[in-house]
């Protein structure tokens, strides 16, 4: 029980205290890497891969948010290439890690056994609950790798590590759990079992996010949000991952450097509104889950309830101008997404996109008009 030795009054220093405790117990044997940035920026990720490889690490311990957990998966891929004997193979590590070589490692068949990963999240982004690992390239696009072997070996959530988080992390990552739930419920590939599990996760998330507003440091509430978020992400993954919201918001995040919690805050209700007619049956069930048992609002359209919930969350942005994104920038992104991702968009979205204006109009629709 490591948390018993951590004084929660130190707030944001808890992660460092946790690392110190691992070092004191003799568990932390390899150099500590802190090069990873929000969104899994390419340079920091490759540095972490190379340092772990040089240390001949045999297990990866990832303490932090979603970018850190995803990076751990990619580091495991890179570590596994030390067993590749073909010097001509693109995964050969002598020249150092590259995005292309890591992705090539994910495509090996058969996949060798990867070094284990102990994932210790300090927030609620839930990257540790999927077999997908995202990164942000130097050209500001979202990329990554996926393989069933990438699911972390062990996941440990300790609410002591969530103490003292800034609002944009605490509420932003909790909102990502809501994103996972609504994405699963309205996904074209969702089954009734998937929807029921996602609705359970959504109800737990809603009740505890609203509790968090009045008591943001409550460890029980943190744990409940983690449970709700984990139920939601496991409903979404693997059958329905990614959802259309993930795909659009991940590219928005990569392009403009916006935390994914605020990407959900800005775009989730707008995306739900875009395909409302096609998913009305399921969105009515989302409204019930977001009503908290209040029958007077259970018939309110889900996009409106999401919009109103988001506006209550401190630190989470809900308009483009709050993150310095202009309409011209949005049109450029909409054009790029239409030209590069249209086919995939139309597989994931219940309502098809036929032109750039469809994507641009979705992103720029006034929240007051939902």
């Amino acid at each position: 029980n490591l948390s018993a030795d951590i004084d929660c009054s130190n707030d944001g220093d808890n992660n460092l205290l946790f690392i110190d405790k691992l070092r004191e117990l003799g568990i932390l044997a390899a150099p500590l890497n802190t090069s990873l940035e929000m969104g899994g920026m390419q340079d920091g990720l490759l540095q972490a891969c190379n340092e772990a490889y040089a240390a001949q690490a045999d297990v990866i311990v990832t303490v932090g948010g979603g970018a850190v957990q995803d990076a751990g998966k990619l580091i495991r891929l890179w570590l596994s290439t030390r067993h590749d004997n073909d010097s001509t193979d693109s995964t050969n590590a002598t020249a150092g890690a590259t995005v292309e070589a890591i992705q090539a490692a994910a495509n090996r068949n058969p996949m060798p056994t990867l070094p284990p990963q102990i994932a210790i999240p300090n927030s609620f982004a839930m990257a540790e609950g999927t077999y997908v690992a995202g990164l942000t390239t130097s050209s500001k696009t979202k990329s990554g790798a996926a393989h069933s072997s990438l699911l972390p070996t062990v996941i440990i959530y300790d609410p002591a590590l969530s103490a003292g988080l800034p609002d944009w992390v605490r509420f932003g990552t909790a909102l990502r759990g809501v994103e996972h739930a609504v994405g699963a419920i309205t996904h074209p590939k969702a089954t009734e079992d998937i929807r029921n599990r996602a609705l359970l996760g959504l109800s737990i998330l809603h009740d505890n996010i609203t509790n968090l507003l009045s008591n943001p440091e409550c460890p029980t509430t943190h744990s409940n949000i983690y449970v709700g978020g984990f139920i939601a992400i496991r409903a979404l993954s693997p059958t329905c991952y990614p959802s259309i919201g993930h795909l659009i918001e991940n590219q928005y995040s990569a392009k403009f450097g916006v935390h994914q919690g605020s990407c959900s805050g800005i775009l989730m209700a707008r995306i739900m509104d875009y395909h409302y007619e096609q998913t009305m049956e399921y969105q009515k069930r989302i409204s019930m889950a977001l009503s908290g048992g209040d029958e007077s609002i259970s018939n309110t359209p889900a996009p409106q309830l999401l919009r109103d919930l988001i506006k209550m969350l401190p630190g989470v942005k809900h308009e483009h101008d709050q993150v310095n994104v202009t309409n011209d920038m949005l049109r450029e992104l909409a054009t790029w997404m239409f030209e590069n991702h249209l086919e995939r968009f139309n597989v994931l979205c219940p309502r098809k996109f036929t032109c750039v204006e469809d994507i641009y109009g979705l992103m720029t629709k006034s929240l007051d008009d939902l």
Side-chain angles (χ1 to χ4, degrees):
N1 182 13
L2 297 177
S3 64
D5 298 303
I6 297 175
D7 179 4
C8 290
S9 66
N10 286 281
D11 295 340
D13 293 332
N14 284 342
N15 293 336
L16 293 176
L17 291 170
F18 184 83
I19 295 298
D20 289 342
K21 191 64 182 179
L22 293 179
R23 194 179 278 122
E24 176 187 324
L25 294 172
I27 295 173
L28 194 67
L32 175 67
N33 178 279
T34 58
S35 68
L36 297 166
E37 300 177 59
M38 184 185 76
M41 295 298 292
Q42 176 178 322
D43 289 348
L45 169 68
L46 298 183
Q47 178 183 331
C49 286
N50 290 330
E51 290 183 6
Y53 194 95
Q56 299 185 8
D58 53 10
V59 62
I60 298 297
V61 180
T62 46
V63 184
V68 173
Q69 307 307 333
D70 273 359
K73 303 171 193 176
L74 298 172
I75 293 168
R76 294 166 68 207
L77 274 176
W78 190 244
L79 287 173
S80 72
T81 65
R82 70 169 68 127
H83 303 299
D84 294 339
N85 296 319
D86 183 358
S87 62
T88 64
D89 189 276
S90 61
T91 62
N92 185 272
T94 57
T98 66
V99 172
E100 294 76 15
I102 293 170
Q103 291 173 327
N107 292 326
R108 288 170 295 176
N109 187 15
M111 175 68 74
T113 300
L114 302 184
Q117 177 182 357
I118 301 172
I120 307 176
N122 67 348
S123 54
F124 316 108
M126 293 298 157
E128 64 277 4
T130 79
Y131 63 89
V132 178
L135 65 93
T136 301
T137 69
S138 55
S139 59
K140 295 184 178 181
T141 62
K142 201 70 177 180
S143 186
H147 193 277
S148 57
S149 298
L150 292 181
L151 196 67
T153 316
V154 176
I155 302 171
I156 303 169
Y157 175 70
D158 188 332
L161 298 181
S162 297
L165 289 175
D167 285 340
W168 64 273
V169 176
R170 174 184 286 120
F171 289 98
T173 57
L175 185 61
R176 290 298 286 175
V178 175
E179 178 80 61
H180 300 148
V182 301
I185 295 161
T186 59
H187 198 285
K189 292 185 178 180
T191 64
E192 191 62 12
D193 175 63
I194 286 172
R195 293 190 181 99
N196 285 335
R197 287 188 285 127
L199 283 163
L200 173 61
L202 180 60
S203 294
I204 296 171
L205 282 163
H206 172 268
D207 293 348
N208 285 280
I209 288 173
T210 52
N211 289 343
L212 202 64
L213 289 167
S214 57
N215 193 357
E217 295 292 351
C218 176
T220 300
T221 303
H222 288 176
S223 295
N224 289 341
I225 288 175
Y226 193 86
V227 169
F230 194 82
I231 292 171
I233 194 63
R234 294 310 299 156
L236 183 69
S237 179
T239 305
C240 300
Y241 194 94
S243 66
I244 185 62
H246 274 85
L247 193 54
I248 293 176
E249 291 161 20
N250 284 351
Q251 296 301 343
Y252 187 105
S253 174
K255 180 69 173 178
F256 305 130
V258 179
H259 181 256
Q260 289 192 335
S262 286
C263 290
S264 291
I266 293 166
L267 293 170
M268 177 166 43
R270 291 178 163 105
I271 293 169
M272 293 286 287
D273 181 77
Y274 180 77
H275 58 73
Y276 183 80
E277 290 187 8
Q278 290 74 21
T279 57
M280 186 184 304
E281 173 188 356
Y282 309 124
Q283 293 209 34
K284 287 180 178 178
R285 295 165 72 178
I286 291 172
S287 292
M288 290 292 294
L290 293 173
S291 70
D294 186 344
E295 295 183 1
S296 66
I297 63 172
S298 61
N299 290 323
T300 304
Q304 294 181 20
L305 292 177
L306 288 169
R307 173 199 64 195
D308 295 344
L309 173 65
I310 291 162
K311 286 184 175 181
M312 295 169 59
L313 304 182
V316 177
K317 311 301 184 185
H318 56 270
E319 289 289 9
H320 302 288
D321 58 3
Q322 294 175 324
V323 292
N324 300 317
V325 173
T326 66
N327 281 355
D328 286 344
M329 295 162 66
L330 290 170
R331 183 171 293 282
E332 180 182 354
L333 177 61
T335 302
W336 181 86
M337 288 194 291
F338 184 82
E339 293 174 349
N340 291 274
H341 289 288
L342 179 63
E343 182 177 356
R344 196 174 185 204
F345 273 25
N346 283 340
V347 168
L348 296 177
C349 190
R351 176 184 171 187
K352 305 305 180 189
F353 297 93
T354 61
C355 59
V356 172
E357 288 301 318
D358 285 345
I359 304 174
Y360 178 72
L362 176 160
M363 292 194 292
T364 56
K365 186 168 185 177
S366 171
L367 291 176
D368 292 335
D369 294 335
L370 300 184

